[in-house]
Structure formats: structure tokens, C-alpha cells
């Protein structure tokens, strides 16, 4: 999920500080902007196209890619969708099952497919796996209802994350796992940057800073947490599942 938004900004920030980045995308062009922004980034970035996390053969695509055989220090599962029509038509009266399935394929099964395919390459011990989530994936925090496809697929992603944390701690694997919600961020994910800014969304760099801070602090002692990067700019904090 590196062609736009948080994924693009994370790739830019990591490469700028000297990290090696493998940026996995369906295509270089962002799904909303249709512009190749990732191709403009500087640094040690290998762009891997043709990676569709909603497909069961994504493991085959990864095995045939430049990432094959590379030891991974940190895997960030960032690809996500709001719905086939964005956030529209997700009220109880209008939600349809195709939209539910669409969100589950990407938001819930995507991180599982990719992590399963790459777990043999993740540094063990010492590696890290991150699933980028949202406050809307919290069951406890749901006081407004609606958003059926997005909310439920992200809640399921949290369960995937928790199970990964348990399984990747077994048998000395020593791989720390976390779900991280970036806060309310202005990207094309919600329609347009301008629209989200008018709703109070914050610059994407704020989310990137908090995500990277959280990743740096991940250990086997705190594996399996759901972390929120507060929209008010405060330090990352544990959030209710």
C-alpha cells in the first residue's frame, strides 16, 4: 500500500533516513490520484508492482518479485479500502454483501495473506510485523454504528493481528506484532485531501511520525497491542480493541 497516502509518506521518510525500502503496490499510479508519485521518491527504494493483497495468489507474486529471499526487518501491512464506493452506502439500510466481502478481502485477509507468504523471510528473532488499522476497528469505541463494511473488516484485522502476535512469539520466533491506527489523517483515502482537511484531518506526516515511533518501541514484551496515533498530535498510546 505504498502508492499514496500514509504508505507513500512512510516510504519517503524511511528512504530519506537511509533505510532500504521495498515498496509493494498494485501499480505505481495511486488508486485515487492515478499519478505515479512513488516513482518520484529518492533513496534506496525498490518498487514492486503487481502485488494485489486481495488475491489468493499474492504469495506467488511475492515469490517471483525482487523481495524473494530478502530478510525483512519490518513488514508493514498498509493496503486498505473504505469500500467499493468509498464510505458511501454503508448504513444498515443500504449496505450490501458485495461491499462487505470487498472490504474483508483487502482489509482483513490482505494482511494475513501477505504475512503468511513472507513470514519465513522476517528476521527471527527481532523482526516486526505491523498492521495499519483505524479507530473504527475498535469494538469498544463504536458508539455511532454504521460503516458496516469498513468497521467490521478492520475489527477482523485486529483479530488477525492479535493471533499473529501469539503465533509469531511461539517456538522462539521472537517477532513482535502490533496494530497501529494513524489517527484522522488527510489523504485521498477519504475522497480528497482537501475534503478531509475541512473535516479536521491532520497532515500525513504526523501519522508517519507516530507510526515510526511506535515501530521503534515494539518488543516481545509489548507485542500484541493496538496503538493509536492521536489526532491531536500527542504521543502514541494503547487503544481499546
Amino acid at each position: 500500500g505504498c502508492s499514496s497516502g500514509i504508505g507513500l509518506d512512510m516510504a519517503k521518510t524511511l528512504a530519506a533516513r537511509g533505510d532500504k525500502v521495498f515498496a509493494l503496490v498494485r501499480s505505481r499510479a495511486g488508486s485515487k490520484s492515478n499519478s505515479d508519485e512513488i516513482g518520484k521518491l529518492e533513496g534506496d527504494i525498490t518498487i514492486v508492482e503487481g502485488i494485489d493483497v486481495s488475491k489468493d495468489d499474492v504469495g506467488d507474486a511475492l515469490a517471483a518479485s525482487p523481495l524473494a529471499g530478502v530478510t525483512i526487518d519490518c513488514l508493514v501491512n498498509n493496503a486498505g479500502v473504505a469500500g467499493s464506493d468509498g464510505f458511501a452506502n454503508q448504513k444498515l439500510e443500504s449496505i450490501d454483501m458485495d461491499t462487505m466481502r470487498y472490504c474483508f478481502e483487502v482489509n482483513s485477509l490482505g494482511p494475513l495473506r501477505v504475512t503468511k507468504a513472507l513470514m519465513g523471510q522476517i528476521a527471527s528473532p527481532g523482526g516486526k510485523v505491523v498492521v495499519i488499522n483505524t479507530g473504527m476497528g475498535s469494538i469498544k469505541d463504536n458508539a455511532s454504528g454504521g460503516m458496516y463494511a469498513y468497521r467490521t473488516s478492520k475489527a477482523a484485522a485486529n483479530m488477525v493481528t492479535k493471533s499473529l502476535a501469539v503465533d509469531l512469539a511461539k517456538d522462539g520466533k521472537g517477532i513482535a506484532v502490533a496494530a497501529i491506527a494513524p489517527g484522522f489523517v488527510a489523504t485521498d483515502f477519504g475522497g480528497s485531501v482537501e475534503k478531509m482537511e475541512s473535516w479536521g484531518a491532520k497532515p500525513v506526516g504526523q501519522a508517519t511520525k507516530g507510526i515510526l515511533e511506535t515501530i521503534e518501541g515494539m518488543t516481545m514484551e509489548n507485542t500484541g497491542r493496538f496503538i493509536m496515533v492521536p489526532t491531536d498530535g500527542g504521543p502514541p498510546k494503547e487503544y481499546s480493541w
Side-chain angles (χ1 to χ4, degrees), residues 161-179:
T161 305
K162 187 65 175 180
S163 287
L164 287 173
V166 173
D167 290 332
L168 294 178
K170 294 176 181 176
D171 304 321
K173 293 185 181 70
I175 298 171
V177 182

Side-chain angles (χ1 to χ4, degrees), residues 93-129:
E93 299 82 6
S94 57
I95 187 66
D96 63 79
M97 298 307 106
D98 284 341
T99 300
M100 294 291 292
R101 281 185 283 269
Y102 173 68
C103 284
F104 266 85
E105 288 289 358
V106 178
N107 297 342
S108 312
L109 301 184
L112 182 58
R113 289 185 180 103
V114 173
T115 305
K116 179 182 177 184
L118 295 177
M119 65 180 178
Q121 294 176 229
I122 301 171
S124 177
K128 299 176 182 181
V129 174

Side-chain angles (χ1 to χ4, degrees), residues 5-230:
I6 293 171
L8 177 66
D9 196 65
M10 286 186 67
K12 176 182 177 180
T13 303
L14 289 168
R17 76 179 195 184
D19 290 308
K20 169 63 184 178
V21 177
F22 285 87
L24 312 183
V25 297
R26 284 184 301 170
S27 68
R28 289 172 177 257
S31 57
K32 297 292 178 64
S33 68
N34 202 33
S35 174
D36 177 12
E37 296 301 320
I38 196 164
K40 302 174 184 177
L41 299 186
E42 298 181 356
D44 192 0
I45 301 178
T46 298
I47 301 170
V48 183
E49 294 187 89
I51 305 301
D52 187 342
V53 305
S54 71
K55 304 300 183 183
D56 288 340
D57 63 358
V58 68
D60 295 333
L62 290 166
S65 78
L67 187 58
V70 174
T71 298
I72 300 168
D73 297 307
C74 182
L75 169 63
V76 179
N77 292 284
N78 178 68
V81 293
S84 51
D85 295 314
F87 289 118
N89 301 316
Q90 292 196 37
K91 295 181 179 180
L92 178 59
E93 299 82 6
S94 57
I95 187 66
D96 63 79
M97 298 307 106
D98 284 341
T99 300
M100 294 291 292
R101 281 185 283 269
Y102 173 68
C103 284
F104 266 85
E105 288 289 358
V106 178
N107 297 342
S108 312
L109 301 184
L112 182 58
R113 289 185 180 103
V114 173
T115 305
K116 179 182 177 184
L118 295 177
M119 65 180 178
Q121 294 176 229
I122 301 171
S124 177
K128 299 176 182 181
V129 174
V130 169
V131 177
I132 300 300
N133 209 298
T134 169
M136 288 190 181
S138 169
I139 293 175
K140 183 176 182 180
D141 193 43
N142 183 1
S144 57
M147 296 288 193
Y148 277 88
Y150 189 60
R151 284 189 189 277
T152 54
S153 63
K154 286 296 192 176
N158 266 346
M159 184 59 80
V160 168
T161 305
K162 187 65 175 180
S163 287
L164 287 173
V166 173
D167 290 332
L168 294 178
K170 294 176 181 176
D171 304 321
K173 293 185 181 70
I175 298 171
V177 182
I180 306 177
F184 190 36
V185 182
T187 69
D188 289 333
F189 188 80
S192 71
V193 171
E194 292 75 18
K195 178 189 292 185
M196 296 193 73
E197 285 178 338
S198 72
W199 294 340
K202 302 301 181 182
V204 68
Q206 176 176 296
T208 297
K209 180 177 180 294
I211 292 167
L212 295 182
E213 180 181 332
T214 301
I215 291 173
E216 293 293 338
M218 288 170 61
T219 67
M220 293 311 298
E221 286 67 39
N222 61 30
T223 191
R225 298 184 303 165
F226 182 20
I227 303 297
M228 170 64 74
V229 178

